[in-house]
Amino acid sequence: MNFEFFLADLWAARANLLAGLWQTVLISAGSVALGTLLGLLVGLGLSYGRLPLRIALRIYTDFLRGTPVFVLILACYYIFSAAGLDLDAFQAGCLALTLFCSSHVGEILRGALNAIPAGQTEAAKSIGLTFGQTFTSVLLPQALRQMLPTWVNTATEIVKASTLLSVIGVVEFLLAVQQVISRTYLSLEFYLFAGLVYFVLNFAIEQAGRAVERRIAIPR
Amino acid sequence: MIPVLNITDLHKSFGELEVLKGIDLAMHKGDVVSLIGSSGSGKTTLLRCVNLLEEFGRGRIEIAGEPIGYREEGGRRRRLPERQIARQRAMTGMAFQQFNLFPHLSAVKNVMLGLTKTKKLPAEEARAIAESWLDRVGMLARKDHFPGQLSGGQQQRVAIARAIAMAPQLMLFDEVTSALDPELVSEVLAVVRDLGRDGMTMLLVTHEMRFARDVSSRVVFMHQGRIHEEGPPEQIFGAPGTERLKAFLSNSQS
Protein backbone atom coordinates (compact mmCIF):
# COMPACT_ATOMS: atom_id res chain seq x y z
CA MET A 1 0.00 0.00 0.00
CA ASN A 2 1.44 3.31 -0.96
CA PHE A 3 -0.09 5.88 1.27
CA GLU A 4 1.45 8.94 -0.39
CA PHE A 5 0.28 7.91 -3.87
CA PHE A 6 -3.13 7.28 -2.43
CA LEU A 7 -3.33 10.71 -0.81
CA ALA A 8 -2.14 12.41 -3.96
CA ASP A 9 -4.71 10.56 -6.09
CA LEU A 10 -7.41 11.21 -3.52
CA TRP A 11 -6.68 14.92 -3.64
CA ALA A 12 -6.57 14.92 -7.41
CA ALA A 13 -9.96 13.18 -7.60
CA ARG A 14 -11.60 15.23 -4.87
CA ALA A 15 -14.03 17.03 -7.14
CA ASN A 16 -15.36 13.81 -8.69
CA LEU A 17 -15.56 12.07 -5.34
CA LEU A 18 -17.40 14.95 -3.73
CA ALA A 19 -19.81 15.06 -6.64
CA GLY A 20 -20.42 11.33 -6.17
CA LEU A 21 -20.91 11.76 -2.45
CA TRP A 22 -23.38 14.54 -3.10
CA GLN A 23 -25.31 12.24 -5.43
CA THR A 24 -25.39 9.56 -2.75
CA VAL A 25 -26.70 12.04 -0.18
CA LEU A 26 -29.26 13.39 -2.63
CA ILE A 27 -30.48 9.93 -3.67
CA SER A 28 -30.69 8.68 -0.08
CA ALA A 29 -32.28 11.76 1.44
CA GLY A 30 -34.77 12.12 -1.40
CA SER A 31 -35.76 8.45 -1.36
CA VAL A 32 -36.08 8.35 2.41
CA ALA A 33 -38.16 11.55 2.47
CA LEU A 34 -40.50 10.52 -0.33
CA GLY A 35 -40.55 6.90 0.77
CA THR A 36 -41.47 7.91 4.30
CA LEU A 37 -44.33 10.13 3.18
CA LEU A 38 -45.64 7.39 0.91
CA GLY A 39 -45.00 4.80 3.62
CA LEU A 40 -47.05 6.71 6.19
CA LEU A 41 -49.99 6.59 3.78
CA VAL A 42 -49.37 2.90 3.20
CA GLY A 43 -49.28 2.30 6.96
CA LEU A 44 -52.50 4.26 7.43
CA GLY A 45 -54.19 2.21 4.74
CA LEU A 46 -52.88 -1.04 6.21
CA SER A 47 -54.22 -0.07 9.63
CA TYR A 48 -57.52 1.59 8.88
CA GLY A 49 -58.37 0.93 5.23
CA ARG A 50 -61.30 -1.11 4.03
CA LEU A 51 -60.60 -4.72 3.23
CA PRO A 52 -59.88 -4.40 -0.54
CA LEU A 53 -57.41 -1.57 0.14
CA ARG A 54 -55.77 -3.54 2.93
CA ILE A 55 -55.36 -6.55 0.69
CA ALA A 56 -53.88 -4.44 -2.11
CA LEU A 57 -51.43 -2.75 0.27
CA ARG A 58 -50.52 -6.06 1.87
CA ILE A 59 -49.57 -7.41 -1.57
CA TYR A 60 -47.68 -4.19 -2.30
CA THR A 61 -45.61 -4.28 0.89
CA ASP A 62 -44.99 -8.01 0.88
CA PHE A 63 -43.95 -7.93 -2.76
CA LEU A 64 -41.58 -4.99 -2.34
CA ARG A 65 -40.09 -6.26 0.89
CA GLY A 66 -39.64 -9.73 -0.55
CA THR A 67 -37.79 -8.54 -3.63
CA PRO A 68 -34.05 -7.75 -3.59
CA VAL A 69 -33.47 -4.00 -3.94
CA PHE A 70 -31.17 -4.73 -6.83
CA VAL A 71 -34.00 -6.39 -8.74
CA LEU A 72 -36.28 -3.46 -7.93
CA ILE A 73 -33.74 -1.02 -9.36
CA LEU A 74 -33.32 -3.01 -12.56
CA ALA A 75 -37.07 -3.42 -12.85
CA CYS A 76 -37.71 0.31 -12.48
CA TYR A 77 -34.98 1.06 -14.98
CA TYR A 78 -36.15 -1.36 -17.68
CA ILE A 79 -39.88 -1.83 -17.16
CA PHE A 80 -40.82 1.85 -17.22
CA SER A 81 -38.86 2.57 -20.37
CA ALA A 82 -40.43 -0.49 -22.00
CA ALA A 83 -43.80 0.97 -21.07
CA GLY A 84 -42.86 4.17 -22.84
CA LEU A 85 -42.32 6.19 -19.67
CA ASP A 86 -38.87 7.65 -20.01
CA LEU A 87 -37.07 7.61 -16.67
CA ASP A 88 -33.35 8.27 -16.64
CA ALA A 89 -31.13 6.10 -14.48
CA PHE A 90 -31.18 8.57 -11.58
CA GLN A 91 -34.99 8.80 -11.56
CA ALA A 92 -35.48 5.07 -11.94
CA GLY A 93 -33.04 4.37 -9.11
CA CYS A 94 -34.67 6.89 -6.80
CA LEU A 95 -38.10 5.46 -7.62
CA ALA A 96 -36.94 1.97 -6.71
CA LEU A 97 -35.47 3.12 -3.40
CA THR A 98 -38.56 5.22 -2.64
CA LEU A 99 -40.88 2.25 -3.20
CA PHE A 100 -38.61 0.02 -1.13
CA CYS A 101 -38.54 2.57 1.68
CA SER A 102 -42.31 3.09 1.57
CA SER A 103 -43.01 -0.62 2.00
CA HIS A 104 -40.80 -0.73 5.09
CA VAL A 105 -42.15 2.48 6.61
CA GLY A 106 -45.72 1.29 5.94
CA GLU A 107 -45.09 -1.94 7.75
CA ILE A 108 -43.28 -0.20 10.63
CA LEU A 109 -46.14 2.26 11.10
CA ARG A 110 -48.74 -0.49 11.00
CA GLY A 111 -46.81 -2.40 13.66
CA ALA A 112 -46.38 0.69 15.84
CA LEU A 113 -50.07 1.59 15.65
CA ASN A 114 -50.98 -1.99 16.36
CA ALA A 115 -48.87 -1.97 19.52
CA ILE A 116 -50.82 0.93 21.05
CA PRO A 117 -53.40 -0.41 23.52
CA ALA A 118 -57.05 -0.09 22.46
CA GLY A 119 -57.69 1.86 25.66
CA GLN A 120 -55.86 4.84 24.16
CA THR A 121 -58.37 5.16 21.35
CA GLU A 122 -61.26 4.60 23.74
CA ALA A 123 -60.03 7.27 26.14
CA ALA A 124 -59.65 9.70 23.24
CA LYS A 125 -63.14 8.89 21.99
CA SER A 126 -64.61 9.27 25.46
CA ILE A 127 -63.47 12.90 25.64
CA GLY A 128 -65.12 13.51 22.27
CA LEU A 129 -62.15 13.41 19.92
CA THR A 130 -62.94 12.52 16.32
CA PHE A 131 -60.95 9.82 14.56
CA GLY A 132 -58.69 12.39 12.90
CA GLN A 133 -57.99 14.16 16.20
CA THR A 134 -57.39 10.86 17.93
CA PHE A 135 -54.92 9.90 15.25
CA THR A 136 -52.92 13.13 15.21
CA SER A 137 -52.96 13.90 18.95
CA VAL A 138 -52.90 10.47 20.55
CA LEU A 139 -51.90 7.66 18.21
CA LEU A 140 -49.35 9.21 15.86
CA PRO A 141 -47.16 10.82 18.56
CA GLN A 142 -46.88 7.46 20.27
CA ALA A 143 -46.40 5.51 17.05
CA LEU A 144 -43.67 7.85 15.77
CA ARG A 145 -41.68 7.48 18.97
CA GLN A 146 -42.06 3.75 18.79
CA MET A 147 -40.99 3.52 15.14
CA LEU A 148 -38.08 5.98 15.22
CA PRO A 149 -35.25 3.46 15.86
CA THR A 150 -36.49 1.11 13.13
CA TRP A 151 -37.02 4.02 10.79
CA VAL A 152 -33.43 5.22 11.30
CA ASN A 153 -32.33 1.69 10.53
CA THR A 154 -34.31 1.80 7.29
CA ALA A 155 -32.62 5.09 6.37
CA THR A 156 -29.18 3.52 6.75
CA GLU A 157 -30.33 0.57 4.65
CA ILE A 158 -31.31 3.01 1.91
CA VAL A 159 -27.88 4.67 2.03
CA LYS A 160 -26.27 1.28 1.59
CA ALA A 161 -28.73 0.28 -1.14
CA SER A 162 -27.96 3.48 -3.04
CA THR A 163 -24.63 1.91 -4.05
CA LEU A 164 -26.61 -0.43 -6.30
CA LEU A 165 -27.51 2.51 -8.52
CA SER A 166 -23.94 2.34 -9.80
CA VAL A 167 -24.98 -0.71 -11.82
CA ILE A 168 -27.42 1.29 -13.94
CA GLY A 169 -24.81 4.01 -14.40
CA VAL A 170 -25.68 6.59 -11.78
CA VAL A 171 -22.40 8.12 -10.70
CA GLU A 172 -23.02 8.05 -6.98
CA PHE A 173 -20.18 7.74 -4.52
CA LEU A 174 -19.31 4.08 -5.13
CA LEU A 175 -19.18 4.47 -8.91
CA ALA A 176 -17.14 7.67 -8.53
CA VAL A 177 -14.67 5.71 -6.42
CA GLN A 178 -14.57 2.89 -8.95
CA GLN A 179 -13.82 5.37 -11.71
CA VAL A 180 -10.86 6.68 -9.70
CA ILE A 181 -9.70 3.10 -9.15
CA SER A 182 -9.81 2.36 -12.86
CA ARG A 183 -7.41 5.25 -13.38
CA THR A 184 -5.10 4.69 -10.41
CA TYR A 185 -5.30 0.91 -9.80
CA LEU A 186 -5.27 1.61 -6.05
CA SER A 187 -8.28 -0.61 -5.49
CA LEU A 188 -7.60 -1.71 -1.93
CA GLU A 189 -6.95 1.82 -0.69
CA PHE A 190 -9.93 3.40 -2.38
CA TYR A 191 -12.38 0.63 -1.46
CA LEU A 192 -11.27 0.92 2.16
CA PHE A 193 -11.76 4.66 1.88
CA ALA A 194 -15.23 4.16 0.41
CA GLY A 195 -16.15 1.78 3.23
CA LEU A 196 -14.99 4.34 5.76
CA VAL A 197 -17.06 7.10 4.16
CA TYR A 198 -20.21 4.96 4.16
CA PHE A 199 -19.56 4.02 7.75
CA VAL A 200 -19.19 7.67 8.77
CA LEU A 201 -22.36 8.59 6.90
CA ASN A 202 -24.44 5.88 8.55
CA PHE A 203 -22.84 6.43 11.93
CA ALA A 204 -23.84 10.09 11.72
CA ILE A 205 -27.40 9.12 10.82
CA GLU A 206 -27.60 6.71 13.74
CA GLN A 207 -26.20 9.24 16.18
CA ALA A 208 -28.63 11.87 14.96
CA GLY A 209 -31.43 9.33 15.40
CA ARG A 210 -30.33 8.60 18.98
CA ALA A 211 -30.18 12.30 19.76
CA VAL A 212 -33.72 12.80 18.50
CA GLU A 213 -34.84 9.71 20.39
CA ARG A 214 -33.43 11.09 23.65
CA ARG A 215 -34.99 14.46 22.99
CA ILE A 216 -38.51 13.14 22.44
CA ALA A 217 -38.33 10.34 25.02
CA ILE A 218 -41.32 10.26 27.37
CA PRO A 219 -40.14 10.95 30.93
CA ARG A 220 -40.76 8.05 33.27
CA MET B 1 -87.87 16.88 34.62
CA ILE B 2 -85.97 15.27 31.78
CA PRO B 3 -83.80 12.41 33.05
CA VAL B 4 -80.03 12.81 32.57
CA LEU B 5 -79.91 9.22 31.37
CA ASN B 6 -82.82 7.23 30.06
CA ILE B 7 -82.24 3.72 28.80
CA THR B 8 -85.15 1.78 27.36
CA ASP B 9 -85.15 -1.84 26.26
CA LEU B 10 -81.41 -1.94 25.53
CA HIS B 11 -80.15 -5.08 23.82
CA LYS B 12 -76.59 -5.87 22.90
CA SER B 13 -75.06 -8.99 21.41
CA PHE B 14 -71.54 -10.06 20.64
CA GLY B 15 -72.21 -12.41 17.75
CA GLU B 16 -74.48 -15.14 19.04
CA LEU B 17 -74.03 -14.16 22.65
CA GLU B 18 -76.61 -11.73 23.95
CA VAL B 19 -75.01 -9.83 26.83
CA LEU B 20 -77.74 -7.25 27.44
CA LYS B 21 -81.28 -8.57 27.25
CA GLY B 22 -83.48 -5.55 27.65
CA ILE B 23 -82.22 -2.97 30.13
CA ASP B 24 -84.40 -0.11 31.38
CA LEU B 25 -82.75 2.46 33.56
CA ALA B 26 -83.40 6.12 34.26
CA MET B 27 -81.18 8.51 36.19
CA HIS B 28 -81.92 12.05 37.30
CA LYS B 29 -79.58 14.86 38.08
CA GLY B 30 -77.51 14.11 41.16
CA ASP B 31 -78.28 10.38 41.14
CA VAL B 32 -75.42 8.06 41.99
CA VAL B 33 -76.18 4.59 40.72
CA SER B 34 -73.91 1.61 41.32
CA LEU B 35 -74.04 -1.41 39.06
CA ILE B 36 -73.09 -4.59 40.84
CA GLY B 37 -73.10 -8.19 39.73
CA SER B 38 -70.75 -11.01 38.88
CA SER B 39 -68.42 -10.70 35.90
CA GLY B 40 -70.20 -11.40 32.64
CA SER B 41 -73.45 -9.93 33.92
CA GLY B 42 -73.18 -7.05 31.43
CA LYS B 43 -72.35 -4.12 33.75
CA THR B 44 -69.32 -2.90 31.85
CA THR B 45 -70.98 -3.43 28.47
CA LEU B 46 -73.90 -1.31 29.64
CA LEU B 47 -71.52 1.47 30.62
CA ARG B 48 -69.68 1.25 27.30
CA CYS B 49 -72.96 1.47 25.38
CA VAL B 50 -73.80 4.71 27.21
CA ASN B 51 -70.41 6.13 26.15
CA LEU B 52 -70.99 4.82 22.60
CA LEU B 53 -67.84 2.71 22.78
CA GLU B 54 -70.07 -0.22 21.87
CA GLU B 55 -72.74 -0.28 19.22
CA PHE B 56 -76.06 -1.69 20.33
CA GLY B 57 -78.63 -3.61 18.38
CA ARG B 58 -81.95 -2.62 19.84
CA GLY B 59 -83.30 -0.11 22.29
CA ARG B 60 -82.68 3.50 23.01
CA ILE B 61 -80.34 5.55 25.12
CA GLU B 62 -81.11 9.21 25.77
CA ILE B 63 -78.79 11.69 27.41
CA ALA B 64 -80.70 14.75 28.63
CA GLY B 65 -83.49 13.86 26.24
CA GLU B 66 -81.28 13.42 23.18
CA PRO B 67 -81.26 9.94 21.67
CA ILE B 68 -77.63 8.96 21.16
CA GLY B 69 -75.80 6.85 18.63
CA TYR B 70 -78.62 6.27 16.18
CA ARG B 71 -81.43 8.01 14.41
CA GLU B 72 -84.62 6.66 12.97
CA GLU B 73 -85.03 7.36 9.29
CA GLY B 74 -88.14 6.13 7.55
CA GLY B 75 -88.47 3.31 10.04
CA ARG B 76 -84.81 2.35 9.66
CA ARG B 77 -82.24 2.67 12.36
CA ARG B 78 -79.02 4.34 11.34
CA ARG B 79 -75.75 4.98 13.14
CA LEU B 80 -75.09 8.71 13.39
CA PRO B 81 -72.10 10.16 11.55
CA GLU B 82 -68.72 10.24 13.29
CA ARG B 83 -68.91 13.91 14.25
CA GLN B 84 -72.27 13.56 15.96
CA ILE B 85 -71.08 10.48 17.80
CA ALA B 86 -67.97 12.33 18.97
CA ARG B 87 -70.08 15.23 20.25
CA GLN B 88 -72.45 12.88 22.06
CA ARG B 89 -69.57 10.96 23.62
CA ALA B 90 -68.41 14.21 25.19
CA MET B 91 -71.79 14.52 26.93
CA THR B 92 -70.68 11.69 29.18
CA GLY B 93 -67.29 11.29 30.83
CA MET B 94 -65.69 7.93 31.39
CA ALA B 95 -63.03 6.71 33.80
CA PHE B 96 -61.52 3.36 32.89
CA GLN B 97 -60.23 0.44 34.88
CA GLN B 98 -56.81 0.83 33.25
CA PHE B 99 -56.81 4.66 33.48
CA ASN B 100 -55.80 4.98 29.80
CA LEU B 101 -53.94 8.23 30.29
CA PHE B 102 -52.03 9.40 27.23
CA PRO B 103 -48.45 8.42 28.11
CA HIS B 104 -46.79 11.06 25.91
CA LEU B 105 -48.60 13.96 27.59
CA SER B 106 -48.07 15.45 31.04
CA ALA B 107 -50.93 15.29 33.55
CA VAL B 108 -52.13 18.79 32.75
CA LYS B 109 -51.87 18.20 28.98
CA ASN B 110 -53.90 15.02 29.38
CA VAL B 111 -56.69 17.05 30.95
CA MET B 112 -56.34 19.88 28.43
CA LEU B 113 -56.57 17.75 25.29
CA GLY B 114 -60.35 17.36 25.22
CA LEU B 115 -60.84 21.01 26.19
CA THR B 116 -58.74 22.33 23.32
CA LYS B 117 -59.73 19.73 20.69
CA THR B 118 -63.36 18.98 21.42
CA LYS B 119 -64.45 22.19 23.11
CA LYS B 120 -62.05 24.33 21.05
CA LEU B 121 -61.11 26.40 24.10
CA PRO B 122 -58.02 28.60 23.89
CA ALA B 123 -54.98 27.04 25.56
CA GLU B 124 -54.86 29.39 28.57
CA GLU B 125 -58.50 28.84 29.39
CA ALA B 126 -58.11 25.07 29.00
CA ARG B 127 -55.05 25.16 31.24
CA ALA B 128 -56.90 27.08 33.94
CA ILE B 129 -59.78 24.59 33.90
CA ALA B 130 -57.39 21.64 33.85
CA GLU B 131 -55.41 22.99 36.77
CA SER B 132 -58.50 23.65 38.87
CA TRP B 133 -59.67 20.06 38.35
CA LEU B 134 -56.23 18.65 39.06
CA ASP B 135 -56.36 20.66 42.25
CA ARG B 136 -59.74 19.12 43.08
CA VAL B 137 -58.34 15.59 42.75
CA GLY B 138 -55.21 16.54 44.68
CA MET B 139 -52.87 16.33 41.71
CA LEU B 140 -52.00 19.96 41.05
CA ALA B 141 -48.52 19.60 42.53
CA ARG B 142 -47.76 16.91 39.95
CA LYS B 143 -49.38 18.54 36.96
CA ASP B 144 -46.21 18.41 34.87
CA HIS B 145 -45.50 14.77 35.65
CA PHE B 146 -46.01 12.20 32.93
CA PRO B 147 -48.25 9.18 33.54
CA GLY B 148 -45.22 6.90 33.75
CA GLN B 149 -43.99 8.95 36.71
CA LEU B 150 -47.22 8.58 38.68
CA SER B 151 -48.59 5.77 40.85
CA GLY B 152 -51.73 3.95 39.76
CA GLY B 153 -53.90 5.90 42.17
CA GLN B 154 -52.44 9.20 40.98
CA GLN B 155 -52.95 8.22 37.35
CA GLN B 156 -56.56 7.33 38.04
CA ARG B 157 -57.16 10.68 39.74
CA VAL B 158 -55.73 12.49 36.71
CA ALA B 159 -57.90 10.32 34.45
CA ILE B 160 -60.98 11.28 36.44
CA ALA B 161 -60.00 14.96 36.21
CA ARG B 162 -59.56 14.54 32.43
CA ALA B 163 -63.08 13.16 32.09
CA ILE B 164 -64.80 15.57 34.43
CA ALA B 165 -63.06 18.69 33.11
CA MET B 166 -65.20 18.26 30.00
CA ALA B 167 -68.22 19.10 32.21
CA PRO B 168 -70.14 15.96 31.23
CA GLN B 169 -73.76 15.60 32.22
CA LEU B 170 -73.04 12.11 33.45
CA MET B 171 -69.87 10.47 34.72
CA LEU B 172 -69.27 6.79 34.09
CA PHE B 173 -66.82 4.87 36.27
CA ASP B 174 -65.78 1.43 35.04
CA GLU B 175 -64.23 -0.48 37.95
CA VAL B 176 -61.89 2.41 38.59
CA THR B 177 -60.16 0.75 41.54
CA SER B 178 -59.86 -2.81 40.21
CA ALA B 179 -56.37 -2.33 38.78
CA LEU B 180 -55.02 -0.56 41.87
CA ASP B 181 -52.90 -1.86 44.72
CA PRO B 182 -55.07 -2.10 47.85
CA GLU B 183 -53.38 0.84 49.59
CA LEU B 184 -54.18 3.13 46.64
CA VAL B 185 -57.89 2.34 46.44
CA SER B 186 -59.04 4.76 49.11
CA GLU B 187 -57.52 7.89 47.54
CA VAL B 188 -59.48 7.25 44.34
CA LEU B 189 -62.70 6.38 46.12
CA ALA B 190 -62.37 9.59 48.14
CA VAL B 191 -62.31 11.56 44.87
CA VAL B 192 -65.39 9.76 43.54
CA ARG B 193 -67.24 10.23 46.83
CA ASP B 194 -66.36 13.91 46.80
CA LEU B 195 -67.79 14.34 43.29
CA GLY B 196 -70.99 12.61 44.36
CA ARG B 197 -71.39 14.99 47.27
CA ASP B 198 -71.06 17.86 44.84
CA GLY B 199 -74.12 16.66 42.96
CA MET B 200 -72.39 14.99 40.00
CA THR B 201 -74.64 12.43 38.30
CA MET B 202 -72.68 9.21 38.30
CA LEU B 203 -73.07 5.67 37.08
CA LEU B 204 -70.48 3.30 38.51
CA VAL B 205 -69.53 -0.28 37.96
CA THR B 206 -67.83 -1.43 41.11
CA HIS B 207 -66.74 -4.44 43.09
CA GLU B 208 -66.30 -2.37 46.25
CA MET B 209 -69.54 -3.26 48.02
CA ARG B 210 -68.91 -1.11 51.06
CA PHE B 211 -68.23 1.85 48.81
CA ALA B 212 -71.34 1.19 46.70
CA ARG B 213 -73.40 1.11 49.86
CA ASP B 214 -71.78 4.27 51.08
CA VAL B 215 -71.93 6.48 48.01
CA SER B 216 -74.96 5.34 45.98
CA SER B 217 -78.47 6.70 45.95
CA ARG B 218 -79.50 3.54 44.16
CA VAL B 219 -77.92 0.15 43.56
CA VAL B 220 -78.65 -2.01 40.55
CA PHE B 221 -77.86 -5.70 40.66
CA MET B 222 -77.36 -7.22 37.23
CA HIS B 223 -77.50 -10.87 36.40
CA GLN B 224 -77.10 -12.49 32.98
CA GLY B 225 -77.80 -9.35 31.01
CA ARG B 226 -80.83 -8.22 32.95
CA ILE B 227 -81.51 -5.99 35.91
CA HIS B 228 -82.29 -8.56 38.52
CA GLU B 229 -82.98 -6.32 41.48
CA GLU B 230 -82.63 -2.66 42.24
CA GLY B 231 -83.28 -0.31 45.10
CA PRO B 232 -81.74 2.00 47.65
CA PRO B 233 -78.48 0.66 49.11
CA GLU B 234 -79.99 -0.08 52.54
CA GLN B 235 -82.52 -2.36 50.91
CA ILE B 236 -80.15 -4.05 48.45
CA PHE B 237 -77.47 -4.74 51.04
CA GLY B 238 -79.68 -4.90 54.15
CA ALA B 239 -82.66 -6.83 52.89
CA PRO B 240 -81.92 -8.43 49.51
CA GLY B 241 -85.13 -9.68 48.00
CA THR B 242 -83.90 -12.44 45.70
CA GLU B 243 -81.85 -15.56 46.26
CA ARG B 244 -79.41 -14.58 43.50
CA LEU B 245 -78.59 -11.29 45.12
CA LYS B 246 -78.18 -12.95 48.49
CA ALA B 247 -75.81 -15.50 46.96
CA PHE B 248 -73.87 -12.77 45.16
CA LEU B 249 -73.52 -10.65 48.28
CA SER B 250 -72.41 -13.53 50.48
CA ASN B 251 -69.75 -14.41 47.89
CA SER B 252 -68.39 -10.90 47.70
CA GLN B 253 -68.05 -9.99 51.38
CA SER B 254 -65.38 -7.40 51.54
Side-chain angles (χ1 to χ4, degrees), chain B residues 181-245:
Chain B
D181 293 335
E183 73 271 19
L184 301 177
V185 169
S186 62
E187 67 185 56
V188 172
L189 293 186
V191 165
V192 179
R193 185 179 288 122
D194 190 41
L195 292 172
R197 265 192 215 119
D198 260 27
M200 187 75 214
T201 316
M202 307 196 289
L203 181 58
L204 344 129
V205 169
T206 184
H207 292 299
E208 304 278 336
M209 292 306 145
R210 196 169 304 159
F211 175 71
R213 180 176 199 153
D214 210 30
V215 77
S216 314
S217 54
R218 193 150 43 106
V219 177
V220 171
F221 171 60
M222 287 185 66
H223 181 70
Q224 293 181 350
R226 288 196 176 85
I227 293 180
H228 198 76
E229 192 173 338
E230 66 180 306
E234 310 78 55
Q235 179 195 319
I236 292 291
F237 294 106
T242 60
E243 288 307 313
R244 285 229 190 279
L245 177 55

Side-chain angles (χ1 to χ4, degrees), chain A residues 118-133 136-139 141-142 145 218-220, chain B residues 48 51 53 82-83 86 89-90 92 94 96 100-104 113-114 117-118 120 146 148-149 162 166:
Chain A
Q120 289 291 304
T121 308
E122 293 185 350
K125 283 176 172 175
S126 78
I127 52 172
L129 265 55
T130 59
F131 175 75
Q133 291 171 330
T136 54
S137 301
V138 175
L139 300 179
Q142 296 185 50
R145 284 182 174 85
I218 298 167
R220 50 184 316 119
Chain B
R48 291 168 59 86
N51 203 209
L53 290 175
E82 157 91 9
R83 256 173 204 292
R89 279 200 185 105
T92 56
M94 178 120 166
F96 300 86
N100 297 344
L101 285 179
F102 307 128
H104 60 297
L113 189 65
K117 298 284 172 189
T118 306
K120 313 275 183 211
F146 284 76
Q149 301 171 310
R162 175 178 68 181
M166 299 294 292

Side-chain angles (χ1 to χ4, degrees), chain A residues 23-25 27-29 31-32 64 67-74 89-90 92-101 104 153-168 170 172-175 198 201-202 205:
Chain A
Q23 285 290 296
T24 288
V25 170
I27 293 162
S28 307
S31 303
V32 169
L64 287 178
T67 311
V69 195
F70 189 36
V71 175
L72 280 179
I73 291 169
L74 293 176
F90 179 85
C94 286
L95 178 64
L97 293 181
T98 299
L99 294 179
F100 178 73
C101 181
H104 279 265
N153 193 41
T154 301
T156 61
E157 288 298 328
I158 296 288
V159 171
K160 288 187 268 177
S162 72
T163 56
L164 295 168
L165 268 65
S166 61
V167 180
I168 54 172
V170 176
E172 40 66 74
F173 186 62
L174 184 66
L175 188 52
Y198 279 110
L201 207 55
N202 277 340
I205 293 174

Side-chain angles (χ1 to χ4, degrees), chain B residues 5 14 24 37 130 132-133 216 222 226 238 252-253:
Chain B
L5 172 68
F14 292 108
D24 295 278
S132 79
W133 279 109
S216 314
M222 287 185 66
R226 288 196 176 85
S252 55
Q253 284 307 328

Side-chain angles (χ1 to χ4, degrees), chain B residues 30-41:
Chain B
D31 282 358
V32 178
V33 173
S34 291
L35 297 172
I36 60 171
S38 47
S39 55
S41 60

Side-chain angles (χ1 to χ4, degrees), chain A residues 195-215:
Chain A
L196 184 69
V197 168
Y198 279 110
F199 170 74
V200 168
L201 207 55
N202 277 340
F203 187 73
I205 293 174
E206 270 163 23
Q207 288 306 308
R210 295 226 175 92
V212 174
E213 220 178 300
R214 275 194 298 273
R215 208 185 148 79

Side-chain angles (χ1 to χ4, degrees), chain B residues 9-30:
Chain B
D9 195 32
L10 180 67
H11 289 254
K12 162 78 188 169
S13 302
F14 292 108
E16 293 288 292
L17 182 72
E18 193 174 30
V19 286
L20 297 177
K21 303 171 183 166
I23 301 288
D24 295 278
L25 182 71
M27 288 179 66
H28 289 87
K29 196 162 171 23

